[in-house]
Structures are given as C-alpha cells and as structure tokens.
Amino acid sequence: MINSLLCARNALLTFASQTLKQHPKRVTSAIAALLLGGGGGAFALASYAPDASELPVREVLESVQALPLNVASDALDVQAFKLFRSEVTRSSDTADTLLKRLGVDDEAAASFLRADATARQVLLGRSGRNVTAETSEHNSLLKLSARWSADSDGNFKRLVVEKTPQGFQSRIESAPLSASTRLASGTIQTSLFAATDDAKIPDSIATQVTEIFSGDIDFHRSLRKGDRFSVVYETLEGDGEPLRTGRVLSVEFVNGGKTFQAMWFQDPVAGSTPAADGASAADSRSKGGYYTLDGQSLRRAYLASPVEFSRITSGFKMRFHPLLHVWKAHQGVDYAAPTGTAVRSVGDGVVDFAGVQNGYGNVIILQHRNNYKTVYAHLSRINVHKGESVSQGQNIGAVGATGWATGPHLHFEYRINNVYHDPLTIARENNTVPLSASAKPAFARLASENRVALSAAATLQQTSAQ
Ligand SMILES: [Zn+2]
C-alpha cells in the first residue's frame, strides 16, 4: 500500500477526473472549481464554465494515470441499441420483481435467476445491493451485474450474468477497490445527524468526526444551532460505485463560533497504512493520527465524553430534567442514553471501585495519574473489577438507571484530589504530542492541500443552498 500522504494527494488529484468521468452531468460548480495545478499537486479555485470540455482534464491525466481514451463518450454511443438501468435490491425481492423494476421483460432471464445458485445467493433475499441491467431495445436481458465489498482485503466482488449463444451464464469476479475523495459540508439546524443526512454523509464518517474532536468538543452537550462543518473523506469504490466508507482525511468544525480543524497524517517514513477498513482499527495498527493543521496531535490523555456520540444517544432525551435529580448537590454531568449503551473509560487508569454505592447504584470509580479520578454511575452492567487496568476508550460497563436515577442515564464525574471539575476543561488542558521535525515539511504540504480542499468543501453547501 502507498503511504497515506501519497494516498491522500492522489485521491485529491483523481477526484476531479473521476467525478467528471462518472457523473459528467452531476458535476457541481463547486466540485468542478477544484482545478488542479500543473504537476505540483497545488490547487487553485477558479471560476467555472459549465462546459466539461473546458476543464483541464488533460493535466489531470498527466499527473496521475491514463484514463481510457473513450472517457468522454462512455456509454453514450451505444445507447441507441442498449438500455441501462440500475435498481437497489429489496429483501422481499424475487427474480420477477427485481427484473420488473429493472425494466427487463424476459422469461428466460427470470427462470435463469430463479435456478442459478450463484445469482440467487447474491441478489435475492437481501436488501440494499445495487444492480445494473443492460437490455436490448426490446427489454430482453443482455447483461446484469452487481458489486459488493465483503472483506477488508481491499477488493470487491462483482456478479455478472451474461447472455451467451449457449444461454445465460453467471460468474463472480474480484477486483481491487479504488479510493476516491468526497467533499461535504453542512450546518446544524436540529441535530448533527440531521445535518449529515442532508449532506449525504455516511454515519461512520459522522461518528469519526465526533471522535476526532472528542478531546475538544463534547458533542452531547456543546452542539449549537448554526454550528457548521466541512469534511473531506475517502470512499472505496468498485467500478465507480461507493462500496465502503474509508476515513476522514480532513475536517473543520465550527462550534459556538470557535473553529476546530483536523487532518489525518502519517509519517511517510513510518510505514504502510492498512486499507481504510474502519478508522479506529487502522489507527491502532499504524502510527497515523489526527492533527491540527498547524501540527498539534489531537490525541489527548482524556476524552471529553464517556459515551460515544451516535445516532441513538444523540436523539435520546431524559424524561426528567437533570436539575430534578434528587441529589442535593449535583456535581457531575448526566448523559441521557438508552439502558445498555456502552460506557467507556475516558483515560488510562486502574479500577479503584466497582460495585454498588447508595445513590450511585452500580458505579465504577477509576484512578488515573496525578490524583485524577473519574466516576461512572447508575450503570446497568459493570465489566471491570477492582484493581484492573483499563485503557482509554475501553468499554467498562453499560448505561442504566440503578441507584437514585430518574431514568436511564450515565452520571459522570471528574475529580482532582476529590474536588469536582468540568470534564471538558480537563480534556482540553492536557498537553498534546508535537510532530517530529523530520515530518514537518511533508506535513506542511499536506496541510496546505487540506486547507484548499476544506474551503472547496465549504462552498458545496453554499452551492446547494442557492
Ligand atoms: Zn447526575
């Protein structure tokens, strides 16, 4: 695998050309404005004329890899004789319902799909798989194909059902996924996930964003209407179809008027990056990580929140306002979440207490360095025992309503020398790890490319809002 620096740069370089190739009609002005400079990989934003032929496609070809010569006429010159149609499979599909939605009227094709074990297994009884049919002008099936990514080995599978002189035949092929870069942005009106839905950002990318800034922003408590974000992320595609979500390459989040920026960086000398098969798994195997654009690592000694921000926890409200909490002096933060939601250690430490205490119910108290302690109360489940070492992010228990709780929630406290402190302040005040001197030039180059990509992403929203 190529290192992430080259990977990110190539992804950005190929982005414009791939978009033009696959979706010539759907190129937005903002994406097309992301013009590439002659070879240095520098970006420039330029005014855009809506004629794709005027875009500097040739420069892209020289910088990266040759595209097929028929790029521009892709599928256009055969449309008089063949029809293409795509549909998404439904779990209730039979051979007949699927072919009908694909506009295929062909009894031989239907009986083949009913009888062929390979085609049945790939297409029927499962939802969400994209299928493309190629038919004659009389709606008989010439070819049918579907793609999916089953393993994290960097490849995807392709089912092809094809009409031959001997009748229909099916086969399964394997080919490498290709990484491409997507830009998106949004503004929060009601919730983060409503905004990412509007921007067509996958949940895994939204969750990565909240994790990247988890030392700076407590997404459970600090989100404001009008907060906005721009994100540049990887998708892994097969034949141009997005099949798997990769990692966030760079992101900007404006929270309460304060701007936070981050980018993925891996020291080019440090070794190879695994394919983006889930950022957290990749993080633990490589030396890459997220940095501010001026080179400060975002890895912190303490996370701001003991509950991962997700679609479920973001929409969950307590039945009673935290102020109605029956405790006289409520010194802590309450996170409303359904019973069973995972609770994680905010930092490395040792279990000081794990058991029942009156008002707390089931409670875990962790001892960290420098007389720091964290308290996790009202749990429905405890996964650790006294004296055990825990690491940051480890699942230590589950949200519940034990003790004096008015409904399921996590009561969380931060104590230094037994005095309560605001978790977010603690998370922010911890020093970060600086970049090594040898990595700085490569970092600076990637950072300047990411700045341009993020401003291009931000214009996407303005474009769509017009
Ligand atoms: Zn509480």
Side-chain angles (χ1 to χ4, degrees):
M1 287 284 159
I2 39 181
N3 71 53
S4 65
L5 173 64
L6 284 174
C7 189
R9 173 177 290 190
N10 284 345
L12 289 167
L13 284 166
T14 49
F15 169 67
S17 64
Q18 287 189 351
T19 307
L20 287 172
K21 177 180 146 198
Q22 287 146 15
H23 311 291
K25 297 271 160 54
R26 289 199 276 142
V27 173
T28 72
S29 60
I31 295 174
L34 188 68
L35 304 180
L36 307 172
F43 291 92
L45 289 167
S47 65
Y48 165 65
D51 181 352
S53 67
E54 288 180 28
L55 292 166
V57 171
R58 249 165 33 90
E59 290 185 11
V60 176
L61 295 181
E62 288 163 10
S63 307
V64 197
Q65 47 192 229
L67 294 167
L69 287 173
N70 61 351
V71 160
S73 60
D74 221 1
L76 288 178
D77 50 354
V78 291
Q79 278 191 352
F81 308 99
K82 292 177 185 173
L83 301 165
F84 293 84
R85 191 151 174 190
S86 288
E87 269 294 329
V88 177
T89 58
R90 300 172 187 168
S91 57
S92 59
D93 266 335
T94 62
D96 296 279
T97 60
L98 179 61
L99 289 176
K100 188 174 181 200
R101 287 207 309 284
L102 285 162
V104 177
D105 180 13
D106 187 334
E107 185 43 43
S111 55
F112 179 81
L113 290 193
R114 279 192 292 268
D116 185 72
T118 305
R120 283 174 58 91
Q121 202 256 324
V122 171
L123 297 174
L124 304 182
R126 64 175 74 233
S127 61
R129 199 162 269 181
N130 206 33
V131 184
T132 304
E134 190 179 320
T135 59
S136 74
E137 53 196 316
H138 306 297
N139 298 324
S140 62
L141 184 67
L142 301 173
K143 188 175 175 181
L144 181 147
S145 59
R147 287 146 205 89
W148 68 98
S149 167
D151 314 304
S152 51
D153 61 356
N155 290 316
F156 71 97
K157 297 264 196 308
R158 186 196 292 125
L159 166 76
V160 180
V161 173
E162 205 160 19
K163 189 171 195 170
T164 71
Q166 292 76 41
F168 285 102
Q169 289 180 356
S170 71
R171 62 180 185 273
I172 288 184
E173 303 166 341
S174 183
L177 288 162
S178 60
S180 94
T181 304
R182 308 228 150 181
L183 316 180
S185 67
T187 300
I188 292 165
Q189 302 297 339
T190 54
S191 76
L192 177 64
F193 283 98
T196 54
D197 283 349
D198 282 350
K200 301 196 166 39
I201 295 171
D203 280 9
S204 68
I205 294 297
T207 304
Q208 282 182 49
V209 168
T210 65
E211 290 300 301
I212 289 166
F213 293 123
S214 63
D216 292 300
I217 303 169
D218 181 346
F219 284 85
H220 296 279
R221 297 194 294 148
S222 315
L223 284 188
R224 303 274 180 279
K225 184 177 178 179
D227 280 1
R228 52 183 205 279
F229 56 87
S230 307
V231 59
V232 180
Y233 63 95
E234 238 175 5
T235 60
L236 300 171
E237 301 180 345
D239 299 338
E241 181 188 328
L243 296 177
R244 196 175 267 270
T245 303
R247 80 164 48 103
V248 170
L249 299 175
S250 60
V251 56
E252 175 178 286
F253 204 103
V254 181
N255 172 234
K258 189 170 182 211
T259 301
F260 299 92
Q261 291 181 321
M263 63 179 248
W264 172 261
F265 181 72
Q266 183 182 12
D267 193 324
V269 198
S272 61
T273 313
D277 50 356
S280 54
D283 280 355
S284 62
R285 290 199 302 268
S286 72
K287 301 210 167 160
Y290 288 95
Y291 292 80
T292 63
L293 298 199
D294 52 10
Q296 296 295 312
S297 170
L298 287 172
R299 190 165 296 153
R300 301 289 169 84
Y302 296 98
L303 305 173
S305 161
V307 180
E308 185 180 78
F309 190 79
S310 70
R311 192 176 282 277
I312 293 166
T313 60
S314 75
F316 194 82
K317 296 278 182 291
M318 288 178 76
R319 281 183 297 133
F320 299 100
H321 191 276
L323 289 177
L324 295 178
H325 216 278
V326 292
W327 300 4
K328 270 190 183 155
H330 182 256
Q331 294 198 311
V333 181
D334 291 319
Y335 291 93
T339 296
T341 303
V343 171
R344 61 188 181 182
S345 160
V346 294
D348 296 345
V350 174
V351 179
D352 189 41
F353 182 88
V356 182
Q357 285 182 9
N358 285 336
Y360 282 134
N362 292 326
V363 59
I364 298 170
I365 301 176
L366 299 182
Q367 174 76 57
H368 308 281
R369 294 194 313 171
N370 303 329
N371 279 328
Y372 282 43
K373 277 184 185 175
T374 50
V375 180
Y376 311 77
H378 308 317
L379 303 174
S380 62
R381 194 177 67 237
I382 292 178
N383 296 342
V384 292
H385 52 81
K386 185 176 164 66
E388 184 177 340
S389 291
V390 296
S391 52
Q392 185 181 63
Q394 184 177 330
N395 180 341
I396 55 173
V399 170
T402 56
W404 299 341
T406 51
H409 73 282
L410 176 72
H411 170 93
F412 178 66
E413 289 176 25
Y414 232 119
R415 296 178 190 161
I416 303 173
N417 295 320
N418 287 322
V419 177
Y420 170 79
H421 285 72
D422 181 353
L424 200 51
T425 316
I426 305 287
R428 280 181 183 160
E429 80 182 11
N430 281 280
N431 292 331
T432 58
V433 189
L435 270 180
S436 71
S438 63
K440 278 182 179 165
F443 184 92
R445 277 196 300 278
L446 190 61
S448 75
E449 291 180 5
N450 274 313
R451 282 194 179 91
V452 177
L454 283 173
S455 13
T459 65
L460 282 177
Q461 189 189 17
Q462 290 163 16
T463 306
S464 62
Q466 279 163 7

